[in-house]
Amino acid sequence: FAMTLEAPATLADLYNKIGESLGNKLPDAIWNREKSRFRGPVLLISNGKLIRGEDTQLHDGQKIELRRYLVGG
């Protein structure tokens, strides 16, 4: 899916936009509605590199892949 953020945008802005747009549709097991953040291990990858830090600047047209890993035994 595609999202539009106002520039300059950060990873924190993306999380907040996900919360506004999709938060009610995401299961509680993977989305914390109060914090507008993913629960558990989620990797965000752009251009083959891991994105870390909520203050990371995002760029126009940037594609970000979200990977949710399930852990346990």
Side-chain angles (χ1 to χ4, degrees):
F1 60 91
M3 296 198 147
T4 302
L5 302 171
E6 292 186 31
T10 64
L11 187 55
D13 295 324
L14 176 60
Y15 285 142
N16 291 333
K17 184 72 168 186
I18 291 170
E20 292 171 12
S21 303
L22 302 170
N24 291 333
K25 297 176 185 175
L26 296 171
D28 290 338
I30 65 168
W31 187 253
N32 182 328
R33 285 177 183 75
E34 290 180 21
K35 295 182 180 181
S36 284
R37 299 297 183 267
F38 288 101
R39 295 182 193 271
V42 174
L43 299 179
L44 289 92
I45 300 168
S46 181
N47 297 324
K49 296 181 182 177
L50 193 60
I51 300 174
R52 297 182 187 201
E54 293 192 7
D55 60 345
T56 300
Q57 290 287 313
L58 304 179
H59 307 284
D60 188 32
Q62 184 174 6
K63 293 182 181 182
I64 299 172
E65 181 180 339
L66 298 160
R67 292 188 187 175
R68 168 88 161 103
Y69 285 92
L70 300 175
V71 296

